[in-house]
Amino acid sequence: VPSSPPPPTSAGGDGVDERAARVGMVGGGQLARMTHRAAIDLGVELHVLTPSPDDPAAAAGASFHAGAPDDLEAMLAFGRAVDVVTLDHELVPTAGLDAVRDAGTPVHPAPAALRFAQDKLHARRGFAELDLPVPAFTAVDTPEEVERFAADHGWPVVLKARAGGYDGRGVEVVHDRDAAAQVLAHPGAWLVEANVAIQTEIAVVLARGPDGATVVYPVVETVQRDGICIELVMPARIAEPLQQQARTLADQIAQAIDAVGILAVELFVTDDQTLVINEVATRPHNSGHATIEGSVTSQFSNHLRAVLGWPLGLTAMRAPVAATVNLLGADQPVDPRTRLPLALRDPRLHVHLYGKDWRPGRKLGHVTVLGDHPDEALAAARLGAARLTAVTPP
Amino acid sequence: VPSSPPPPTSAGGDGVDERAARVGMVGGGQLARMTHRAAIDLGVELHVLTPSPDDPAAAAGASFHAGAPDDLEAMLAFGRAVDVVTLDHELVPTAGLDAVRDAGTPVHPAPAALRFAQDKLHARRGFAELDLPVPAFTAVDTPEEVERFAADHGWPVVLKARAGGYDGRGVEVVHDRDAAAQVLAHPGAWLVEANVAIQTEIAVVLARGPDGATVVYPVVETVQRDGICIELVMPARIAEPLQQQARTLADQIAQAIDAVGILAVELFVTDDQTLVINEVATRPHNSGHATIEGSVTSQFSNHLRAVLGWPLGLTAMRAPVAATVNLLGADQPVDPRTRLPLALRDPRLHVHLYGKDWRPGRKLGHVTVLGDHPDEALAAARLGAARLTAVTPP
């Protein structure tokens, strides 16, 4: 069992280490940036291991350590500089994390938990063994294997890269053997899944401490376009028993994989109102962004508290509804930073810009609006997002 | 009239300056630190001019410029590095601000507005001329003048340092001529005021843009001990008509002095339920700390928006009550950072630590609790504060 940082010390004694807790986050993107914002409040020092000082978290002031997660020496030095190591993305080889842990710095999530986020086949197999709801799946190497799977489950099928895929990359719906052959020609290992008839996509975000203490956020409805999450509504507009079922399922997964920190579980609500697990992430997650304003405690604050072994904050909502819309780079150069005077005309709009330069389709930020009614909050958030990103703003 | 930054530009054109807005704040204390937190959200670059990179805002990641506000060259270089200059404390000589403005960088608040916060005699005279409610006052140099004033207004009287006093320093209640003589023996200019019979102390925080657009926060009740603000309750527990009167008065002052950015107006509610102006601050203020969680838009975000000439955010509350308790250094060394695991046992507690080392009486942070009832929220905030600062925590 990984140890958590030492308990509170009585102050004033000899040799008492009176200083800020230091959390090391591998990765310096927007998730680390928003974690830094939460770290400032708690007086926690956030350190990030990331290639460039211009990366979003370093630019916002997290302590910058130059390096990549596949650089074992950089990982070990990073581990020595902090009290606990965590991460803001999945693409972290377990070798470095193992080495950090073996050298005495706790790593949360543990590599064994992280593997459920890194390796889709491992996750499918693990959840299936636990009798948790997953789509029919199998590992495939050849178009013939895909065809055999489709004979049982019907076309189309879904081909997924076993590792490395995110934001829709590495997920392909294929309608025949030729299309399958084209996908499998790409490098990497693949699995095939039955194509689930999806009514709604939802996500459950929870925080779990090293002692197993868990707090679960309200279920979030997620809207995807081209495999990228574009909108969130919290709480999800699905029946309460289904919400409860989703929260219980996420809690079961957290216990099963011994997640520590934020765990996000993406689920499909099928046409016949059953739940199917899509993917899990063992870190702060896009589907938790509405918690910054919508919840008493944000996912970023609770991630820090969880990995430090501190008590977790309340996940209750501060308004009936929170709607979040992601800011994706337009097809032509539009810098949301130049659009703030327009977007802020709506005095309710909460803007989060990630400090990134424009690129088409790039996640540049998100906006959140709290309200009494989902349609109204969503409309306001969409208007704000369009004002910040559209080539011709409304 | 100081200009505001350029309006939103259409993106993609030639020579368009696509980058973050840069706000320069003179001072790098906790107010700048919490402003940096708001700047991260908006994708605004906060720059601070402050002596040490260990000062709270620089430690949190605001761009650090070494320098003091009485260093004209440092001020001019700072002005050149940013789009607009503002401040997190009053002890900024107007010479530097004038020079920055003359060199082409807007300064908000303007030195003429700042003077109302710097010079208590100037403020008293200015507000009296406007027929705004101030206590009886006059400038004094000698114990004889104090005695003459007391003959008209009664002992005790209040002696105030004309400039430089804050947090209770430079404010002395004296009961006779000898005590007055002792105070006046200290260097600096003094004024004497009638000792108002205070029932409650309150503050009104508002944000005002260069165009005069103003948003006013709910009235805050402030509890002072030894001249230092120790607790806030928002909204204040005073009659609604008095609250409205206070908000109107603050708005009048903002217009009269042409404040831009946050203006905080500290007021006395007298025993006979009238309002008397105590002091004003032309910057984010301790009495606005409850706005971080309690209001839709924090004072720090609205300060940035105001000095940038951007639309202001909603000041409506997100809960019926917000209670804030300041964390003051205990008499013995107690580092609140080591007490977080204890204090966070209350999952509602919002903690803000300023990254400062312990010193007796030093403001090390604050905590806020939202709730339905002031007594309950205040009790929870007090418990949290005691757990973070008391030598023997409850």
Side-chain angles (χ1 to χ4, degrees), chain A residues 8 11-12 18 33 36-37 40-42 60-61 293 296 310-311 314 318 333-335 338 340-341 344 347 350-353, chain B residues 8 11-12 18 33 36-37 40-42 60-61 293 296 310-311 314 318 333-335 338 340-341 344 347 350-353:
Chain A
E18 289 179 11
R33 180 184 176 95
H36 177 59
R37 181 185 178 283
I40 293 172
D41 292 351
L42 292 170
E293 289 85 14
V296 173
W310 294 353
L314 210 61
R318 296 210 269 192
V334 175
D335 187 340
T338 65
L340 284 164
L344 295 173
H350 295 283
V351 177
H352 295 267
L353 298 185
Chain B
E18 289 179 13
R33 180 183 176 96
H36 177 59
R37 180 186 179 281
I40 293 172
D41 292 351
L42 291 170
E293 288 85 15
V296 173
W310 294 353
L314 210 61
R318 296 208 269 191
V334 175
D335 187 339
T338 66
L340 283 164
L344 295 174
H350 294 284
V351 177
H352 295 267
L353 298 185

Side-chain angles (χ1 to χ4, degrees), chain A residues 19-389:
Chain A
R19 59 157 176 79
R22 297 166 306 186
V23 173
M25 191 167 246
V26 180
Q30 63 261 25
L31 299 168
R33 180 184 176 95
M34 289 183 273
T35 304
H36 177 59
R37 181 185 178 283
I40 293 172
D41 292 351
L42 292 170
V44 167
E45 272 181 29
L46 186 73
H47 295 244
V48 294
L49 182 74
T50 195
S52 164
D54 296 329
D55 289 339
S63 292
F64 170 64
H65 299 244
D70 56 2
D71 177 343
L72 197 63
E73 285 310 310
M75 285 288 287
L76 281 168
F78 190 58
R80 284 190 295 269
V82 298
D83 300 321
V84 56
V85 166
T86 183
L87 25 93
D88 95 331
H89 62 82
E90 275 89 34
L91 306 175
V92 180
T94 51
L97 296 173
D98 285 336
V100 166
R101 193 188 47 186
D102 292 346
T105 302
V107 175
H108 296 307
L114 176 61
R115 204 176 155 203
F116 284 82
Q118 289 178 327
D119 180 343
K120 291 191 172 90
L121 184 60
H122 178 75
R124 286 282 180 252
R125 284 178 175 157
F127 298 147
E129 272 171 30
L130 291 162
D131 282 329
L132 300 177
V134 292
F137 72 95
T138 192
V140 284
D141 292 317
T142 65
E144 290 70 31
E145 288 169 327
V146 176
E147 196 162 35
R148 226 159 26 236
F149 181 86
D152 289 340
H153 300 281
W155 294 102
V157 296
V158 183
L159 283 173
K160 287 190 176 173
R162 184 171 165 177
Y166 68 97
D167 277 356
R169 292 189 290 177
V171 177
E172 304 289 340
V173 178
V174 294
H175 290 261
D176 56 38
R177 178 186 160 137
D178 285 353
Q182 281 188 349
V183 170
L184 294 180
H186 290 99
W190 294 82
L191 62 156
V192 64
E193 293 185 358
N195 188 42
V196 174
I198 302 166
Q199 188 207 59
T200 311
E201 297 193 41
I202 62 173
V204 181
V205 175
L206 61 76
R208 185 168 182 272
D211 61 352
T214 302
V215 293
V216 186
Y217 287 93
V219 179
V220 172
E221 186 178 330
T222 63
V223 178
Q224 320 281 328
R225 190 178 57 202
D226 302 332
I228 294 179
C229 175
I230 57 165
E231 290 178 354
L232 311 174
V233 179
M234 179 168 77
R237 292 165 290 184
I238 60 173
E240 173 56 34
L242 211 54
Q243 294 198 31
Q244 195 44 57
Q245 203 182 319
R247 289 158 57 102
T248 302
L249 187 52
D251 193 35
Q252 285 177 290
I253 292 172
Q255 288 182 47
I257 72 175
D258 196 19
V260 174
I262 290 290
L263 173 74
V265 178
E266 296 181 281
L267 299 161
F268 300 131
V269 179
T270 65
D271 284 349
D272 58 354
Q273 299 291 296
T274 59
L275 297 176
V276 177
I277 300 167
N278 180 18
E279 294 188 10
V280 302
T282 54
R283 53 163 172 83
H285 192 254
N286 195 144
S287 59
H289 287 356
T291 64
I292 297 176
E293 289 85 14
S295 305
V296 173
T297 314
S298 78
Q299 67 164 341
F300 302 102
S301 185
N302 264 336
H303 186 72
L304 289 170
R305 292 160 72 155
V307 302
L308 284 162
W310 294 353
L312 303 173
L314 210 61
T315 55
M317 289 191 67
R318 296 210 269 192
V321 173
T324 294
V325 175
N326 283 330
L327 306 177
L328 303 178
D331 294 338
Q332 295 171 41
V334 175
D335 187 340
R337 293 173 289 204
T338 65
R339 296 286 188 76
L340 284 164
L342 173 65
L344 295 173
R345 285 184 194 168
D346 181 344
R348 296 171 301 171
L349 193 74
H350 295 283
V351 177
H352 295 267
L353 298 185
Y354 302 156
K356 295 174 173 176
D357 290 328
W358 167 88
R359 276 209 310 259
R362 191 181 205 191
K363 272 187 198 163
L364 302 175
H366 74 266
V367 296
T368 295
V369 174
L370 305 184
D372 293 325
H373 305 287
D375 291 347
E376 173 220 349
L378 202 46
R382 283 176 184 161
L383 176 62
R387 285 173 163 172
L388 288 164
T389 59

Side-chain angles (χ1 to χ4, degrees), chain B residues 6 10 37 81-82 112 120 128 131-132 136 143 189 204 236 242 260 262 300 323 329 350 362 371 382:
Chain B
S10 64
R37 180 186 179 281
V82 297
K120 292 191 172 89
D131 282 330
L132 300 177
V204 180
L242 210 54
V260 174
I262 290 290
F300 303 101
H350 294 284
R362 191 180 204 192
R382 284 176 183 160

Side-chain angles (χ1 to χ4, degrees), chain B residues 231-243:
Chain B
E231 291 178 353
L232 311 174
V233 179
M234 181 169 77
R237 291 164 291 184
I238 60 173
E240 173 56 33
L242 210 54
Q243 294 198 31

Side-chain angles (χ1 to χ4, degrees), chain B residues 38-99:
Chain B
I40 293 172
D41 292 351
L42 291 170
V44 167
E45 271 180 29
L46 187 72
H47 295 244
V48 294
L49 182 74
T50 194
S52 164
D54 295 329
D55 290 339
S63 292
F64 170 64
H65 299 244
D70 56 1
D71 177 343
L72 197 63
E73 285 310 310
M75 285 288 286
L76 282 168
F78 190 58
R80 284 191 295 271
V82 297
D83 300 322
V84 57
V85 166
T86 184
L87 26 93
D88 95 332
H89 63 81
E90 275 89 34
L91 306 175
V92 181
T94 51
L97 296 173
D98 285 336

Side-chain angles (χ1 to χ4, degrees), chain B residues 345-388:
Chain B
R345 285 185 195 168
D346 180 345
R348 296 171 302 170
L349 193 74
H350 294 284
V351 177
H352 295 267
L353 298 185
Y354 302 156
K356 294 175 175 178
D357 290 327
W358 167 88
R359 275 210 311 259
R362 191 180 204 192
K363 273 186 197 163
L364 301 175
H366 74 267
V367 296
T368 296
V369 173
L370 305 185
D372 292 327
H373 304 287
D375 291 347
E376 172 220 351
L378 201 47
R382 284 176 183 160
L383 177 62
R387 284 173 164 173
L388 288 164

